[in-house]
Amino acid sequence: MSTHRTVGDEDLLAGTERHVPANGVRICVDTFGSPGHPALLLVSGASNSMDWWADGLCRRLADGGRYVVRYDHRDTGRSTGWPAGAPDYHFDDLVADAAALIDRLDLGAAHVWGISMGGAIAQRLAVEHPDRVASLTLSSTSPALRIGKRPYPDLPPMTQALMASFGKSRPDPDWADPDSVVEHIAAGQRPLTGSVPLAGAELRELVARAVARTVDIRASLANHWSIDGGAEYRDALPGITMPALVVHGTEDPLFPYGHGEALAAELPVARLLPLQGVGHQMPPRATWDMLVMEVLSHTGGGAGKPTG
């Protein structure tokens, strides 16, 4: 059995970040806004720390009257991690981490916004812990996404261009050189973006922050892809009763738009929001005005101030 690593509180950056013990590990959490406002839990994709939820986007949501909570998955950022290639946990543990975090932070029933793998975690939360979920916002994800498994045959496959890019060998970066790692990660994002990408400088700044905060970036990039895909749950989606907003890029090459259409159709109370020209990526700044308004309305009304 592998030995995991933990990060002490003395190692935390200044600000609102803190460690929360949950589900047998320590999860690094950051918050925006007042705890008296409705909670909005942001769940990142595979291998992504909370840094991928841009500060400006989080501030806009908080300015709209939400208590925004973002966190590092285990093996990302400053949460508990394992050696690269040896994660001693399962996808089900990532779901349990989110549920435990909602309890430990006393969020009650939280609004949950998950992207990509985070969208799968959000779906599982709604199926297995419905009392902890007030609403779902599901971005760039799929009905019952299965890590490490082929997608369901009724859903469109990834594009040929993306498949070809995955087939190309990419040398590892110099793990001791942060600039080399940042460029490696940024280059890996480019085949996933649509015609409305994150600006180059903005993407590099976001990635640089994630690399700087991450205790073991090599493990962070590898370990989520080594775990099993967790319990099957697609058949349970029609039983989810809380409202869902399905946000999907029309140019998503990994989960083409048909995945978003299928997900919205299988959830009983769902609305599909297309993001024109967006790929499989965090919401570009060009979408924030519309998207923040939509998410605030979906989670209880109100409009964000144009800050950040």
Side-chain angles (χ1 to χ4, degrees):
M1 181 177 294
S2 60
T3 302
H4 65 255
R5 56 162 172 78
T6 58
V7 181
D9 289 330
E10 68 277 5
D11 296 320
L12 285 176
L13 300 177
T16 57
E17 281 188 29
R18 64 190 186 277
H19 279 121
V20 175
N23 192 33
V25 296
R26 303 180 77 208
I27 301 295
C28 188
V29 174
D30 190 22
T31 60
F32 295 77
S34 169
H37 290 157
L40 175 59
L41 181 69
L42 305 180
V43 189
S44 298
S47 297
N48 286 356
S49 64
M50 62 176 157
D51 303 285
W52 288 82
W53 295 99
D55 290 358
L57 178 60
C58 293
R59 283 195 294 268
R60 287 198 185 193
L61 292 164
D63 287 344
R66 302 295 173 269
Y67 181 50
V68 178
V69 180
R70 62 181 181 179
Y71 71 98
D72 293 327
H73 293 296
R74 57 176 73 192
D75 261 327
T76 74
R78 304 182 71 81
S79 291
T80 297
W82 279 256
D88 189 22
Y89 57 91
H90 306 280
F91 181 78
D92 291 352
D93 291 305
L94 300 182
V95 178
D97 290 350
L101 197 58
I102 290 172
D103 288 346
R104 293 289 302 194
L105 296 176
D106 196 24
L107 301 182
H111 300 282
V112 181
W113 184 357
I115 186 163
S116 194
M117 184 191 78
I121 292 172
Q123 292 173 61
R124 282 280 302 277
L125 281 174
V127 168
E128 298 171 16
H129 307 282
D131 57 321
R132 293 179 172 92
V133 181
S135 75
L136 293 170
T137 301
L138 305 170
S139 293
S140 302
T141 192
S142 178
L145 183 156
R146 305 185 294 179
I147 291 180
K149 298 181 181 180
R150 292 183 179 277
Y152 287 91
D154 63 306
L155 298 172
M158 74 173 73
T159 65
Q160 290 294 322
L162 184 61
M163 191 176 301
S165 75
F166 284 167
K168 294 178 181 177
S169 177
R170 286 207 303 151
D172 284 346
D174 177 355
W175 297 107
D177 178 6
D179 288 339
S180 175
V181 177
V182 168
E183 179 53 37
H184 178 79
I185 296 173
Q189 291 297 307
R190 291 174 189 129
L192 294 165
T193 61
S195 54
V196 186
L198 284 172
E202 184 179 0
L203 174 61
R204 186 175 177 82
E205 180 181 347
L206 185 154
V207 174
R209 173 178 164 83
V211 170
R213 284 190 60 259
T214 298
V215 176
D216 185 347
I217 191 63
R218 190 171 186 177
S220 181
L221 293 177
N223 284 359
H224 284 176
W225 305 107
S226 301
I227 62 177
D228 69 87
E232 297 284 344
Y233 62 99
R234 188 178 184 184
D235 289 346
L237 296 182
I240 293 177
T241 58
M242 67 282 298
L245 178 65
V246 178
V247 181
H248 213 96
T250 61
E251 296 180 13
D252 190 326
L254 183 63
F255 300 131
Y257 190 67
H259 287 250
E261 292 177 314
L263 181 56
E266 292 176 36
L267 294 168
V269 187
R271 184 167 65 90
L272 179 60
L273 176 63
L275 295 184
Q276 297 296 329
V278 173
H280 191 82
Q281 59 195 110
M282 298 303 292
R285 187 177 293 270
T287 68
W288 287 5
D289 286 345
M290 178 271 291
L291 190 54
V292 167
M293 180 180 65
E294 292 282 357
V295 171
L296 291 177
S297 177
H298 175 63
T299 58
K305 300 176 184 178
T307 61

